[in-house]
Short mmCIF file of all heavy atoms in Angstrom, two decimals:
data_model
loop_
_atom_site.label_atom_id
_atom_site.label_comp_id
_atom_site.label_asym_id
_atom_site.label_seq_id
_atom_site.Cartn_x
_atom_site.Cartn_y
_atom_site.Cartn_z
N VAL B 270 40.80 28.45 -4.98
CA VAL B 270 39.95 29.10 -4.06
C VAL B 270 40.35 28.71 -2.61
O VAL B 270 40.38 29.52 -1.70
CB VAL B 270 38.44 28.78 -4.27
CG1 VAL B 270 37.55 29.36 -3.32
CG2 VAL B 270 38.05 29.25 -5.71
N ILE B 273 43.02 30.87 -1.27
CA ILE B 273 42.55 32.23 -0.92
C ILE B 273 41.92 32.17 0.55
O ILE B 273 42.30 32.97 1.39
CB ILE B 273 41.51 32.65 -1.85
CG1 ILE B 273 42.02 32.91 -3.30
CG2 ILE B 273 40.83 33.92 -1.29
CD1 ILE B 273 40.97 33.43 -4.24
N VAL B 274 41.12 31.12 0.73
CA VAL B 274 40.57 31.01 2.14
C VAL B 274 41.60 30.74 3.08
O VAL B 274 41.62 31.40 4.22
CB VAL B 274 39.43 29.82 2.14
CG1 VAL B 274 38.90 29.79 3.55
CG2 VAL B 274 38.37 30.15 0.99
N ALA B 277 43.36 33.95 4.01
CA ALA B 277 42.54 34.72 4.89
C ALA B 277 42.70 34.19 6.33
O ALA B 277 42.81 35.00 7.32
CB ALA B 277 41.18 34.76 4.40
N LEU B 297 40.07 42.32 7.85
CA LEU B 297 41.31 41.91 7.22
C LEU B 297 41.03 40.64 6.47
O LEU B 297 41.45 40.58 5.27
CB LEU B 297 42.35 41.64 8.34
CG LEU B 297 43.64 40.83 7.91
CD1 LEU B 297 44.43 41.63 6.83
CD2 LEU B 297 44.54 40.62 9.08
N ALA B 298 40.41 39.73 7.04
CA ALA B 298 40.11 38.42 6.35
C ALA B 298 39.20 38.82 5.00
O ALA B 298 39.58 38.21 4.01
CB ALA B 298 39.36 37.44 7.22
N ALA B 299 38.26 39.63 5.24
CA ALA B 299 37.46 40.10 4.06
C ALA B 299 38.35 40.63 2.95
O ALA B 299 38.16 40.35 1.76
CB ALA B 299 36.40 41.06 4.55
N ARG B 300 39.33 41.45 3.33
CA ARG B 300 40.15 42.10 2.35
C ARG B 300 41.07 41.09 1.67
O ARG B 300 41.22 40.95 0.43
CB ARG B 300 41.04 43.21 2.96
CG ARG B 300 41.60 44.17 1.93
CD ARG B 300 42.08 45.42 2.65
NE ARG B 300 43.04 45.21 3.77
CZ ARG B 300 42.87 45.38 4.97
NH1 ARG B 300 41.69 45.87 5.44
NH2 ARG B 300 43.68 45.04 5.96
N VAL B 301 41.60 40.12 2.42
CA VAL B 301 42.36 39.08 1.80
C VAL B 301 41.53 38.19 0.80
O VAL B 301 42.00 37.84 -0.24
CB VAL B 301 42.92 38.19 2.84
CG1 VAL B 301 43.79 36.90 2.23
CG2 VAL B 301 43.96 39.05 3.75
N LEU B 302 40.31 37.91 1.22
CA LEU B 302 39.44 37.20 0.31
C LEU B 302 39.11 37.99 -0.94
O LEU B 302 39.20 37.42 -2.04
CB LEU B 302 38.16 36.80 0.97
CG LEU B 302 38.28 35.73 1.98
CD1 LEU B 302 37.00 35.73 2.97
CD2 LEU B 302 38.31 34.32 1.39
N ALA B 303 38.93 39.28 -0.75
CA ALA B 303 38.59 40.18 -1.96
C ALA B 303 39.82 40.22 -2.83
O ALA B 303 39.61 40.08 -4.06
CB ALA B 303 38.16 41.52 -1.43
N GLU B 304 40.91 40.37 -2.30
CA GLU B 304 42.16 40.43 -3.10
C GLU B 304 42.35 39.06 -3.90
O GLU B 304 42.65 39.17 -5.10
CB GLU B 304 43.45 40.46 -2.11
CG GLU B 304 44.08 41.73 -1.99
CD GLU B 304 45.10 41.75 -0.76
OE1 GLU B 304 45.62 40.66 -0.54
OE2 GLU B 304 45.26 42.84 -0.18
N GLY B 305 42.12 37.98 -3.23
CA GLY B 305 42.25 36.75 -3.85
C GLY B 305 41.22 36.62 -5.01
O GLY B 305 41.59 36.09 -6.11
N CYS B 306 40.06 37.08 -4.84
CA CYS B 306 39.00 36.99 -5.85
C CYS B 306 39.44 37.88 -7.05
O CYS B 306 39.17 37.61 -8.21
CB CYS B 306 37.64 37.38 -5.32
SG CYS B 306 36.97 36.18 -4.23
N VAL B 307 40.01 39.05 -6.72
CA VAL B 307 40.55 39.92 -7.77
C VAL B 307 41.59 39.17 -8.60
O VAL B 307 41.59 39.17 -9.81
CB VAL B 307 41.01 41.27 -7.21
CG1 VAL B 307 41.68 42.04 -8.25
CG2 VAL B 307 39.88 42.05 -6.62
N LEU B 312 36.44 38.93 -9.00
CA LEU B 312 36.01 40.28 -8.66
C LEU B 312 36.96 41.22 -9.40
O LEU B 312 38.05 40.95 -9.76
CB LEU B 312 36.01 40.53 -7.15
CG LEU B 312 34.96 39.92 -6.25
CD1 LEU B 312 35.30 40.15 -4.82
CD2 LEU B 312 33.65 40.34 -6.57
N HIS B 325 32.82 41.42 -0.90
CA HIS B 325 33.37 40.14 -0.34
C HIS B 325 32.22 39.32 0.21
O HIS B 325 32.33 38.07 0.20
CB HIS B 325 34.44 40.45 0.71
CG HIS B 325 33.75 41.02 1.93
ND1 HIS B 325 33.45 42.30 2.02
CD2 HIS B 325 33.41 40.42 3.10
CE1 HIS B 325 32.95 42.54 3.25
NE2 HIS B 325 32.87 41.39 3.88
N PHE B 329 31.38 35.50 1.26
CA PHE B 329 31.72 35.31 2.59
C PHE B 329 30.71 35.96 3.50
O PHE B 329 30.96 37.06 4.07
CB PHE B 329 33.18 35.83 2.87
CG PHE B 329 33.71 35.79 4.29
CD1 PHE B 329 33.51 34.66 5.09
CD2 PHE B 329 34.23 36.97 4.86
CE1 PHE B 329 33.94 34.71 6.45
CE2 PHE B 329 34.73 36.96 6.15
CZ PHE B 329 34.59 35.79 6.96
N PRO B 384 37.29 31.80 8.12
CA PRO B 384 36.89 32.40 6.85
C PRO B 384 36.29 31.29 5.91
O PRO B 384 36.63 30.12 6.02
CB PRO B 384 38.17 32.90 6.34
CG PRO B 384 39.27 31.98 6.88
CD PRO B 384 38.74 31.67 8.31
N GLY B 385 35.54 31.65 4.99
CA GLY B 385 35.05 30.75 4.06
C GLY B 385 34.75 31.40 2.65
O GLY B 385 34.85 32.65 2.51
N PHE B 386 34.53 30.67 1.69
CA PHE B 386 34.13 31.07 0.34
C PHE B 386 32.94 30.16 0.02
O PHE B 386 33.12 28.97 -0.17
CB PHE B 386 35.25 30.88 -0.69
CG PHE B 386 34.91 31.36 -2.10
CD1 PHE B 386 35.14 32.63 -2.52
CD2 PHE B 386 34.32 30.33 -2.92
CE1 PHE B 386 34.86 32.95 -3.90
CE2 PHE B 386 33.89 30.72 -4.16
CZ PHE B 386 34.23 31.96 -4.71
#
Side-chain angles (χ1 to χ4, degrees):
Chain B
V270 178
I273 294 176
V274 178
L297 168 63
R300 199 163 54 245
V301 176
L302 285 166
E304 259 169 27
C306 288
V307 169
L312 289 177
H325 68 280
F329 174 47
F386 176 98

